[in-house]
Amino acid sequence: MRLLAALHYLLIDLLYEWGRSLLTVGSLALIACAYLLITSLSVAFQSFGEQAPPTTNLLLISSDVLDPVDSTLTLELLDNLRRYAEQAYGPGALQAAVPIIFRHMRVEDSVVQLFAVPLDQAARLKELQLVEGRWPEGAHQAAASRWLAQQHGWQIGSRFEVYARTFTLTGILDSPGRKTLSLWMPYTAGQEMFDLRDKFQMAFLRMRSDIEPQEARSFLEQSPLLSDQYAVYLEEQLNERYTQVTRTLLALTSMINLVALLVITFGAYNAAWLTLAERSPEIALLQVLGFSQGNLRALLTMRLLLLSLFSYVAGLGLAAWSISRLKNASSWSIQGVQLALQLPLLQVLLGVALMTTFCLLGAWMSGREQRSTELAALVRYH
Amino acid sequence: MIIQARGLEKIYRRGAQQVAALRGVDLDLQAGEFAVILGPSGGGKSTLLHVLGGIDRPSAGQVRVNGFALESASESALTRFRRDHIGFIFQFYNLLPSLSALDNVLLSLLAKGWGWQAARQHGLEMLAQVGLAHRSGHRPAELSGGEQQRVAIARALSVDPALVLADEPTGDLDSATANELLELMADLNRSLGKTFIIATHNQETCRFATSLFEMRDGRLSPKGMS
């Protein structure tokens, strides 16, 4: 039977049973949509962060705060800590103590991490690299992470609003590890914008290189200056925990992806099996008329492929629509890092390939059952 | 001789029980005959047609149809045999409900590898031959029982078969329509020279028969023509 003739009859058949076809396409489309959304989430997690390089930095923050924004530290506390460390380890024990004003801000519909820091010190401690432009200097200048600049198509000199103030982009920077949407400005600019005198949210500390970081952490935490009000973390441990969370999320999405693919296989198999079960009189008739097992297998496979293709296109449309809605809502972020949901072409094509493969598998599995049924028995009982 | 069957046996297993549907059937039939097999339901008529049509295999015996030995043929050879040599007509028409009358006829031709346009042209001619050219675009549900059986006849004859096997072709029709159908098949037998075997319990069919048989309890015997 020629391909076009087969397609002609399959389409007639699918339209004739439009209710059942719609139900099958609808259910498979939902599964395909779920698969694509999870894939999109997985891709977002992959671009979320990488293994950060080793560091001996410590992070000082108020204890028992869920969001760093709720933390409050003072410059006086940093001075006292510096003296306390020198008493124990000698002069220059606390090499650096960098105050950070930190906020989550909405900038042009993105949730952005805003850092107001002494930029020269922060650049050294956080290994920030200027990839374009120069460091901001004035109260209305800022540098953006590469991911943020890319997301909004910003160039050096671009202007944008933050906290009802207009800023000019002077630099684009990169930092190892997290791929955050972050904005960096001078410490004084943050103080002025948020009307802060000597208060800030966090501080990066670095002890002298001969002091072991874990020992330094214990030493500082036991200090009466911090008591239970403040906590000290090893940045490397935080990074490790962050990487672990990212890996767990990736593993989770991979597992859910696998489940979605299994459901697609089962759905395809079920659709094929139902076709065979409900249409056995018609299949028997086609065999009587001289359709070979190969012809019938090809027809069944084509029927499933058509259903799968329609389902996948519908699922893709649904997923694209959902992602656009979620993007518009702009509220998808984890730990202040926005999830950039997207459907790369490669993932879409991979989905087509997987769905096709699993449909063929479904057709093959149900076709095996059909082959084991004798034609005479089918004709006799119908 | 279009059919030569010797000692055909067919035994079905139903659980532990064995049921003999054919018991030593012998049959010789010349090409161009209009053979009628009379007999009650469950007598083995359908089984014999299935064996002669390559749908089922005999448990024992030999059968040659148009020179083709069916008992030893492979599954794919039987499929080709049915496609190229046999036309089937069933009691309940067995048309695909989603397809039009014409498309139902085309199926057999497409299975045989005909091109679309040629098949369509031939299909329309076959429908015209059974008086249904004007109903070619209608689905089975839109046709009467008699019309559906005419479509089935057109489908059976479309592939130019050597043998047409009809299993209770008038069993689902009223007597007037049944007579019209029988006359149509007898006409086609005469005009096209095709061999027909009709399995039926309808005595009316006998008046069209050129050979008459009776089938009872799996045994086939010639029946005198009155």
Side-chain angles (χ1 to χ4, degrees):
Chain A
M1 196 175 189
R2 310 269 164 94
L3 181 68
L4 283 178
L7 273 174
H8 168 79
Y9 286 121
L10 284 172
L11 285 173
I12 287 179
D13 189 54
L14 290 175
L15 286 174
Y16 179 72
E17 285 217 313
W18 64 270
R20 185 175 291 278
S21 303
L22 204 64
L23 198 67
T24 308
V25 167
S27 53
L28 284 177
L30 281 179
I31 300 166
C33 174
Y35 162 76
L36 288 167
L37 284 179
I38 294 164
T39 300
S40 153
L41 202 58
S42 184
V43 169
F45 285 141
Q46 275 167 18
S47 61
F48 197 57
E50 297 160 344
Q51 181 75 51
T55 172
T56 55
N57 292 343
L58 300 169
L59 182 72
L60 178 63
I61 192 167
S62 296
S63 55
D64 300 329
V65 291
L66 285 174
D67 192 326
V69 173
D70 300 325
S71 168
T72 306
L73 273 62
T74 60
L75 286 172
E76 187 189 357
L77 176 68
L78 290 192
D79 285 340
N80 290 340
L81 271 183
R82 190 186 303 277
R83 277 195 289 277
Y84 178 72
E86 283 177 355
Q87 279 170 13
Y89 294 105
L94 186 59
Q95 269 191 335
V98 182
I100 303 164
I101 295 171
F102 178 79
R103 292 285 189 281
H104 298 298
M105 304 294 296
R106 189 173 289 273
V107 179
E108 293 192 1
D109 286 334
S110 291
V111 178
V112 170
Q113 292 182 335
L114 188 147
F115 296 90
V117 287
L119 285 164
D120 53 338
Q121 294 179 52
R124 259 197 323 277
L125 246 64
K126 293 292 292 171
E127 296 182 38
L128 299 176
Q129 290 164 356
L130 204 56
V131 290
E132 208 179 326
R134 59 174 176 76
W135 292 105
E137 288 168 354
H140 293 270
Q141 294 184 351
S145 67
R146 187 142 57 102
W147 315 110
L148 180 60
Q150 271 176 4
Q151 178 148 326
H152 294 294
W154 287 346
Q155 310 286 334
I156 301 299
S158 292
R159 288 168 175 272
F160 48 88
E161 294 277 321
V162 182
Y163 210 56
R165 287 178 181 216
T166 304
F167 278 78
T168 304
L169 190 75
T170 62
I172 294 172
L173 50 87
D174 214 350
S175 65
R178 294 189 200 189
K179 296 177 176 175
T180 56
L181 303 181
S182 57
L183 206 55
W184 300 75
M185 60 178 62
Y187 185 73
T188 49
Q191 275 184 313
E192 190 184 319
M193 187 158 66
F194 300 114
D195 195 21
L196 299 168
R197 303 254 177 242
D198 68 337
K199 289 190 177 153
F200 48 93
Q201 278 64 54
M202 303 179 280
F204 278 118
L205 310 177
R206 182 175 282 178
M207 299 291 278
R208 215 171 46 216
S209 58
D210 60 312
I211 306 168
E212 206 273 318
Q214 186 64 53
E215 180 196 330
R217 175 178 175 262
S218 305
F219 166 75
L220 291 174
E221 275 210 324
Q222 284 160 17
S223 147
L225 294 168
L226 301 185
S227 62
D228 290 338
Q229 277 187 290
Y230 304 99
V232 181
Y233 297 100
L234 281 168
E235 193 188 358
E236 196 161 79
Q237 278 181 352
L238 287 178
N239 287 342
E240 183 54 41
R241 196 185 301 172
Y242 176 85
T243 308
Q244 196 59 47
V245 167
T246 307
R247 278 189 198 136
T248 307
L249 287 171
L250 272 173
L252 196 67
T253 50
S254 301
M255 272 174 59
I256 299 172
N257 253 348
L258 190 68
V259 170
L261 287 173
L262 286 174
V263 175
I264 287 175
T265 315
F266 178 73
Y269 169 74
N270 204 33
W273 189 86
L274 270 179
T275 303
L276 286 175
E278 291 181 349
R279 300 298 189 79
S280 56
E282 292 162 27
I283 289 167
L285 175 72
L286 291 175
Q287 283 180 277
V288 168
L289 294 180
F291 280 75
S292 65
Q293 287 284 356
N295 287 149
L296 292 173
R297 221 174 15 252
L299 279 173
L300 178 68
T301 306
M302 277 175 68
R303 190 179 203 276
L304 272 183
L305 282 177
L306 274 180
L307 283 173
S308 307
L309 190 68
F310 293 149
S311 306
Y312 194 77
V313 169
L316 183 62
L318 198 60
W321 177 78
S322 307
I323 287 172
S324 115
R325 294 281 302 204
L326 288 170
K327 270 186 176 169
N328 289 341
S330 191
S331 57
W332 276 57
S333 61
I334 294 179
Q335 293 184 350
V337 182
Q338 193 170 30
L339 280 178
L341 290 179
Q342 52 179 312
L343 272 178
L345 182 64
L346 189 68
Q347 300 295 333
V348 172
L349 293 177
L350 183 68
V352 173
L354 287 172
M355 193 134 175
T356 307
T357 307
F358 286 119
C359 278
L360 293 177
L361 188 67
W364 176 76
M365 281 159 67
S366 45
R368 260 166 43 120
E369 288 179 27
Q370 167 69 13
R371 278 196 294 281
S372 64
T373 313
E374 275 185 44
L375 173 60
L378 283 173
V379 174
R380 217 169 21 248
Y381 295 120
H382 297 288
Chain B
M1 198 73 70
I2 192 164
I3 294 178
Q4 280 184 304
R6 291 289 174 272
L8 287 184
E9 307 266 346
K10 182 68 194 178
I11 294 166
Y12 293 113
R13 290 178 201 285
R14 283 185 194 151
Q17 211 180 3
Q18 291 196 335
V19 179
L22 299 179
R23 300 166 192 254
V25 171
D26 296 328
L27 176 64
D28 289 318
L29 206 63
Q30 297 288 345
E33 294 248 32
F34 194 89
V36 174
I37 302 173
L38 276 175
S41 296
K45 303 189 298 293
S46 296
T47 303
L48 179 60
L49 292 198
H50 288 170
V51 170
L52 295 177
I55 291 175
D56 211 348
R57 291 170 192 277
S59 306
Q62 288 94 44
V63 57
R64 289 203 170 15
V65 176
N66 215 21
F68 195 90
L70 297 181
E71 70 280 358
S72 56
S74 67
E75 202 56 52
S76 55
L78 282 180
T79 302
R80 285 195 298 276
F81 164 77
R82 289 194 300 270
R83 187 188 67 194
D84 297 339
H85 300 282
I86 306 292
F88 287 96
I89 301 168
F90 299 95
Q91 179 177 358
F92 298 109
Y93 332 125
N94 286 24
L95 302 175
L96 294 184
S98 57
L99 302 185
S100 67
L102 178 60
D103 282 328
N104 265 288
V105 176
L106 293 193
L107 273 181
S108 299
L109 296 166
L110 294 171
K112 211 171 172 179
W114 283 53
W116 180 260
Q117 281 305 330
R120 198 178 151 74
Q121 184 59 40
H122 186 62
L124 282 169
E125 285 167 14
M126 292 313 299
L127 282 175
Q129 222 160 17
V130 296
L132 275 185
H134 62 297
R135 306 281 273 164
S136 64
H138 289 74
R139 285 193 179 132
E142 298 160 343
L143 301 173
S144 68
E147 287 174 324
Q148 289 187 55
Q149 198 59 300
R150 283 169 189 264
V151 175
I153 292 170
R155 181 180 66 192
L157 290 168
S158 65
V159 291
D160 193 25
L163 177 64
V164 178
L165 300 170
D167 191 0
E168 297 282 8
T170 59
D172 199 40
L173 303 172
D174 62 75
S175 56
T177 312
N179 267 328
E180 282 176 26
L181 253 296
L182 288 169
E183 275 169 20
L184 173 67
M185 284 193 282
D187 278 350
L188 291 168
N189 162 251
R190 280 190 296 272
S191 60
L192 301 174
K194 301 291 172 201
T195 310
F196 276 70
I197 301 181
I198 317 283
T200 182
H201 61 267
N202 178 3
Q203 296 283 343
E204 279 296 302
T205 315
C206 300
R207 63 193 175 93
F208 299 98
T210 57
S211 297
L212 190 56
F213 300 89
E214 186 174 33
M215 184 120 208
R216 198 176 285 273
D217 298 328
R219 292 191 174 84
L220 185 74
S221 53
K223 193 171 157 70
M225 309 269 287
S226 56

